[in-house]
Amino acid sequence: NFKIEYLEIPNIGVEGEDLVGPHGSGPRGLGFHPERCRRAAAVPLGILAGLKVQAVPLVHGIPDWGYVLTEPDRPGKLDAAKAQKLGIPRSPLMGRLKKGETVTLDNGSVVHPEEVLGPPIAGRTFAVLQDTSDARSAIKPCHYANCVVHEATFEAAMEEDALKKGHSTSVMAARFAVACEAKRLVLSHFSARYAKTSDVENDDGCDPAEKLGEEAREVVGNVPVTVAQDFMVLRADRDFEPESELAVKKNPWYREVDSAPSSADAAGKRPK
């Protein structure tokens, strides 16, 4: 359970300019102005649940924000053999060194963590960028991100339509992943035309959204591309690989349809 905090993000860009301003994006001009949005810096929202959280303005038909979450750097790997040579017994003292604390032995000698720890391990970065036709303002804060979740509403051939509606294609999402050198790309926010229903499935029975994944893979090369599903779990401890099974196998709003005829139907009568 986490405390819920409501934060208002000011629509302010470089040198205090209004991110919407005249001629904002979208058919009604209500979204962030594309050029102002692209040059805007990420907005720091502080440390929440132990993570540094930043908001990045996105180009869409209405004001829209993406979010970049970054872990703090962790101490490097402890060289236990080296610690023992310095007189550190296998005891809680090693744990203190691992946490970055300096320890003093009974003989008065002092051991500093940098003497026994490897280089710091950079905290992982995870980004969620939805409802956007241009997320370039997020490239810098997403640099070397471990996982980027980016919308891919349409397939590559529909880029013109996507731009008009303030959305991205699979290839547009892939280009962003290449630009920020992300280590994994997760596609989401698909048009209903790619819904996994019996009347729109591919001839081979595969999920229609996999077409979007295939298009993105052609752009990103060796970077893993995941096609998101409802209730999919991404394992941060496994480079954000998806679990083989969904967290919930049946939508909570799903209702069984009783195919058995009612007593009224059985009697040839229709219920009122």
Side-chain angles (χ1 to χ4, degrees):
N1 295 325
F2 295 99
K3 178 182 177 181
I4 297 177
E5 296 186 39
Y6 295 93
L7 303 174
E8 182 176 354
I9 308 173
N11 293 340
I12 303 298
V14 176
E15 298 181 353
E17 67 181 359
D18 184 351
L19 283 176
V20 178
H23 313 299
S25 59
R28 293 184 292 168
L30 300 178
F32 293 144
H33 187 282
E35 287 303 321
R36 296 183 180 191
C37 184
R38 289 166 193 150
R39 62 175 176 258
V43 179
L45 300 182
I47 304 298
L48 303 174
L51 303 173
K52 181 177 77 172
V53 181
Q54 301 178 84
V56 286
L58 304 175
V59 176
H60 189 51
I62 58 175
D64 185 27
W65 295 91
Y67 298 94
V68 183
L69 293 77
T70 304
E71 295 176 319
D73 291 348
R74 292 170 287 162
K77 184 178 179 181
L78 175 69
D79 188 335
K82 188 174 182 179
Q84 287 181 307
K85 286 182 180 179
L86 293 173
I88 305 294
R90 288 191 174 276
S91 67
L93 290 178
M94 285 198 178
R96 290 175 56 190
L97 284 167
K98 177 66 176 174
K99 293 178 182 178
E101 300 177 15
T102 298
V103 300
T104 302
L105 302 179
D106 293 338
N107 62 8
S109 60
V110 177
V111 180
H112 301 282
E114 56 267 25
E115 297 180 72
V116 295
L117 295 181
I121 301 171
R124 293 166 292 192
T125 293
F126 179 89
V128 181
L129 309 171
Q130 303 285 57
D131 279 323
T132 181
S133 59
D134 189 341
R136 276 181 279 182
S137 64
I139 289 178
K140 185 175 179 179
C142 287
H143 197 216
Y144 292 134
N146 297 79
C147 182
V148 169
V149 179
H150 195 296
E151 77 127 280
T153 306
F154 299 112
E155 60 197 78
M158 299 182 67
E159 182 167 333
E160 183 177 352
D161 196 30
L163 290 170
K164 289 180 181 178
K165 296 178 179 179
H167 291 295
S168 297
T169 67
S170 54
V171 168
M172 291 165 67
R175 290 181 194 139
F176 176 87
V178 170
C180 70
E181 300 183 76
K183 298 176 182 177
R184 177 178 292 274
L185 173 63
V186 178
L187 303 179
S188 65
H189 194 279
F190 311 125
S191 165
R193 70 179 59 229
Y194 308 108
K196 191 174 182 180
T197 55
S198 59
D199 58 331
V200 297
E201 280 186 347
N202 295 336
D203 293 339
D204 57 5
C206 294
D207 183 349
E210 277 297 332
K211 176 180 180 178
L212 305 177
E214 293 170 2
E215 292 182 337
R217 292 182 189 105
E218 292 180 1
V219 176
V220 299
N222 294 328
V223 175
V225 175
T226 298
V227 176
Q229 298 181 51
D230 289 340
F231 309 112
M232 175 181 281
V233 175
L234 301 175
R235 293 289 300 268
D237 59 337
R238 297 179 185 172
D239 298 326
F240 293 94
E241 289 184 0
E243 286 276 21
S244 57
E245 294 187 0
L246 302 178
V248 177
K249 295 183 179 180
K250 184 182 294 185
N251 291 338
W253 52 85
Y254 178 88
R255 285 186 171 83
E256 293 283 358
V257 178
D258 187 0
S259 59
S262 64
S263 57
D265 289 336
K269 301 178 182 178
R270 296 182 60 84
K272 295 182 179 179

